[in-house]
Amino acid sequence: MNTTSKVWLFFCWIGVLTMAGLLRFDQLADRPFHFDEATGARITSQRLSSSKGYSFNPEHNHGPLLSAAAEPICQFNGESMWPQMSKLSLRVVPAIAGTLLVMIPLFWRRRFGDVPVLAAGAFLATSPLLVYYSRMFIHEMLLTLCGLAVIAIMFVRPRFSLTVKFGAIGLLVGLMFATKETFAISIIAWTAAGIILGISNIRKINQHNTAKNRKRLWHEYRNPVIAFFLAAGVSSGWYYTDGFSNLSGAWDAVHTFFVYKTTAGHDKAFTYYIEMLAVPTKGGIWWHETLIFILAAVALIRSYLPGKKDNNQENIVRFLAFSAIFHLLIYSLISYKTPWLMCLPWAHVCLLAGLSFRGFPQWKLPVKITAVLLLAGVLFQQQRLSKFASGRFANDTRNPYAYTPTSKDAESIQKWMKDLSKVVSPNALEPIGVVGREYWPLPWYLRDFQSIGYWPEPAPEISRCPVVFAMPEHADAISEQLKGTHTAQPRTLRANVPVMMYLRNDHWRKWMAAE
């Protein structure tokens, strides 16, 4: 490659990374905090403030890596307590992970060439699904970054010993385990893809399946396999046991696969994911990532077309395709579905779509021009949808990625409580009562107050609370209980989830007088 080409390549990568960063960091704190973000923030605050260290809850928590990654950022920004925490400090973690994800294709630059890996990086940078969840304080983007890095290192040209390579893969698999229990689905999908590849290469395997070769393979891979399991165990165990200070966390990490409790209301049809990503849907604008799906299919089809082949390249393409298919199949068979579960499978597809451009330097000029125009068109459409998804439609239920979004009205609750505290002493507003079960992210917006009681069912003592919030299933009962002492105001907590707010009458009169 000449100097001019290197300069152009450098600036292309700078452009891709800049685009990735802008899409992920621009106005990062604007969107209201989601239900799951607020629970993750609470876990992080407990990690920050607890003198006893972190303790993993196998029934309700995902892995500890997200809160562990957020802890130093919060501390750096002087946020050591629940009331001090900010959306920006927390969301920086997935935004950084989402930006680093874009650089993963560079592992394969020597194997596939510059154009395919650049295209793959650009697809990862602009994918609306990946952009949206890179701006949300949940575990998925850390899982996606580690998962895609596992595949990249698995097939990278060896520059170090196999022991080092397997150790690096084990480290990343351990971090996936420390991020979320769904890493097991990726292990199953990758294993199934490997078996399919093994079957398709059975003749080559049989040629090496002699007693002598088996003995050689055992000596060659014994230490790497040990390094893999050791690195995976140490990296995941470090986080689950809080730096090996709480060894029961290791058992909890395994126990979570048997006792983890999912919440109701997330059952979806088998076709939910494929419709979300590959079928254009009208909702304010047309939502889809169909073109990426088509380019990925082209990459797979090309791997089976006759002609001169690089077997290593074909095996990588097929492994990516089979892994994505098995991920999609497994997640589709599970009735519990949320859109962010597709982040890692879809990253496979984006990487595969980029590899549809392999062999670009050998193409004829008209084909090259067509390919460049196609690439530009796809990237324009992707970044346009990403801006809509994280901007104008960030909280709109027509956006397929805005899953049970928090209402903007929920943000006004915090502002209203602060304004009320200027009229009525903050201590006079406590204790605050919250009645119902699915009240998150309300605690995030009430974090300035110290005394808050949570009742799953209405109770007589609620009448003594100056401020009461009632979830919809108990609004009628609380309205009857407080009809003579409190004034009701309707609010909206999440999409199609109202919350009724009650303010004691003496405070209400002071508020109205101040108004």
Side-chain angles (χ1 to χ4, degrees):
M1 180 183 290
N2 57 43
T3 303
T4 302
S5 298
K6 288 181 179 179
V7 170
W8 272 106
L9 181 64
F10 174 78
F11 281 108
C12 283
W13 271 108
I14 291 297
V16 168
L17 288 170
T18 301
M19 180 165 50
L22 288 174
L23 289 173
R24 285 157 176 79
F25 285 93
D26 185 41
Q27 299 179 327
L28 186 58
D30 280 9
R31 183 173 50 80
F33 233 33
H34 187 269
F35 183 111
D36 286 353
E37 288 184 287
T39 57
R42 187 57 175 163
I43 292 168
T44 305
S45 74
Q46 292 167 348
R47 177 189 283 274
L48 285 163
S49 60
S50 175
S51 59
K52 298 179 181 179
Y54 173 82
S55 180
F56 173 67
N57 183 337
E59 291 188 2
H60 299 290
N61 293 171
H62 295 308
L65 185 60
L66 180 66
S67 59
E71 182 179 9
I73 295 176
C74 291
Q75 288 175 331
F76 179 80
N77 290 328
E79 300 168 7
S80 59
M81 299 172 62
W82 175 237
Q84 298 171 335
M85 299 181 79
S86 67
K87 291 187 289 185
L88 181 60
S89 294
L90 295 165
R91 285 177 175 167
V92 160
V93 174
I96 291 174
T99 305
L100 291 176
L101 181 70
V102 173
M103 301 178 70
I104 294 295
L106 283 170
F107 279 101
W108 289 350
R109 178 173 172 257
R110 291 179 180 273
R111 187 177 290 279
F112 286 100
D114 290 310
V115 174
V117 299
L118 180 63
F123 293 151
L124 290 166
T126 57
S127 166
L129 176 76
L130 299 179
V131 167
Y132 191 86
Y133 291 114
S134 293
R135 300 170 59 89
M136 191 169 176
F137 185 63
I138 58 174
H139 302 71
E140 233 59 40
M141 205 45 56
L142 287 174
L143 184 73
T144 303
L145 175 63
C146 293
L148 212 62
V150 166
I151 296 177
I153 294 175
M154 189 186 307
F155 290 106
V156 76
R157 291 185 187 275
R159 302 179 67 180
F160 304 100
S161 69
L162 275 177
T163 301
V164 173
K165 178 177 178 177
F166 274 60
I169 294 172
L171 174 69
L172 289 165
V173 169
L175 292 178
M176 291 176 69
F177 188 5
T179 302
K180 198 174 181 184
E181 67 286 344
T182 53
F183 95 101
I185 292 176
S186 295
I187 298 298
I188 294 170
W190 292 337
T191 302
I195 291 172
I196 296 294
L197 274 185
I199 293 172
S200 63
N201 290 280
I202 193 68
R203 185 176 300 174
K204 184 178 179 181
I205 292 173
N206 286 335
Q207 289 174 355
H208 294 276
N209 194 25
T210 65
K212 184 178 179 180
N213 283 334
R214 285 197 298 270
K215 187 176 181 180
R216 181 181 59 79
L217 287 172
W218 164 248
H219 286 294
E220 185 178 352
Y221 283 93
R222 178 183 55 196
N223 289 338
V225 169
I226 292 173
F228 169 85
F229 284 105
L230 185 62
V234 170
S235 59
S236 58
W238 174 266
Y239 290 101
Y240 278 107
T241 63
D242 195 24
F244 301 116
S245 64
N246 176 22
L247 295 182
S248 64
W251 162 246
D252 290 334
V254 177
H255 196 212
T256 191
F257 290 101
F258 304 97
V259 298
Y260 187 82
K261 297 178 180 178
T262 58
T263 54
H266 300 286
D267 291 355
K268 305 289 189 303
F270 177 85
T271 57
Y272 172 75
Y273 292 124
I274 195 71
E275 289 176 357
M276 178 184 73
L277 290 165
V279 179
T281 304
K282 186 72 167 73
I285 58 173
W286 285 100
W287 298 97
H288 68 92
E289 297 192 46
T290 314
L291 295 173
I292 297 296
F293 188 82
I294 293 172
L295 287 175
V298 168
L300 177 60
I301 292 169
R302 284 187 62 201
S303 75
Y304 285 102
L305 292 178
K308 188 177 180 180
K309 299 286 186 180
D310 181 327
N311 288 332
N312 289 325
Q313 286 192 11
E314 309 311 328
N315 283 333
I316 293 172
V317 168
R318 293 167 190 173
F319 180 85
L320 279 173
F322 296 147
S323 295
I325 290 168
F326 280 118
H327 271 95
L328 179 61
L329 180 61
I330 295 169
Y331 279 116
S332 296
L333 287 170
I334 298 171
S335 59
Y336 181 95
K337 295 180 176 68
T338 57
W340 52 79
L341 291 174
M342 278 296 101
C343 285
L344 180 51
W346 194 248
H348 285 63
V349 176
C350 290
L351 191 51
L352 186 60
L355 297 185
S356 66
F357 290 86
R358 61 200 177 98
F360 180 88
Q362 288 76 46
W363 294 352
K364 294 180 179 179
L365 183 60
V367 179
K368 286 184 177 180
I369 294 173
T370 303
V372 170
L373 291 176
L374 175 63
L375 177 60
V378 173
L379 294 180
F380 173 78
Q381 171 70 354
Q382 292 253 114
Q383 64 84 29
R384 174 176 172 271
L385 286 174
S386 292
K387 286 183 177 179
F388 277 126
S390 57
R392 175 183 168 189
F393 290 92
N395 248 53
D396 196 311
T397 53
R398 292 174 294 178
N399 176 357
Y401 314 124
Y403 189 72
T404 60
T406 300
S407 168
K408 290 184 178 180
D409 191 39
E411 300 247 303
S412 69
I413 292 175
Q414 185 179 31
K415 182 180 183 302
W416 186 80
M417 293 292 287
K418 286 183 178 179
D419 292 342
L420 183 61
S421 297
K422 298 174 183 177
V423 178
V424 180
S425 168
N427 292 334
L429 295 176
E430 299 182 31
I432 296 171
V434 178
V435 186
R437 296 183 183 275
E438 299 295 325
Y439 49 76
W440 286 92
L442 187 58
W444 170 261
Y445 294 108
L446 299 177
R447 68 189 187 282
D448 291 327
F449 298 89
Q450 298 296 318
S451 180
I452 305 175
Y454 295 91
W455 287 270
E457 304 288 340
E461 55 266 34
I462 291 168
S463 302
R464 297 197 294 269
C465 297
V467 181
V468 177
F469 293 89
M471 297 306 293
E473 66 271 20
H474 298 302
D476 291 342
I478 296 299
S479 293
E480 180 64 24
Q481 182 177 342
L482 303 180
K483 64 180 180 180
T485 58
H486 291 65
T487 299
Q489 283 190 305
R491 296 282 187 176
T492 304
L493 184 59
R494 300 189 300 276
N496 302 316
V497 179
V499 60
M500 191 64 74
M501 183 173 64
Y502 303 86
L503 179 63
R504 204 169 64 200
N505 289 336
D506 58 331
H507 294 338
W508 174 256
R509 287 190 289 269
K510 290 180 181 179
W511 171 254
M512 293 305 293
E515 285 288 296

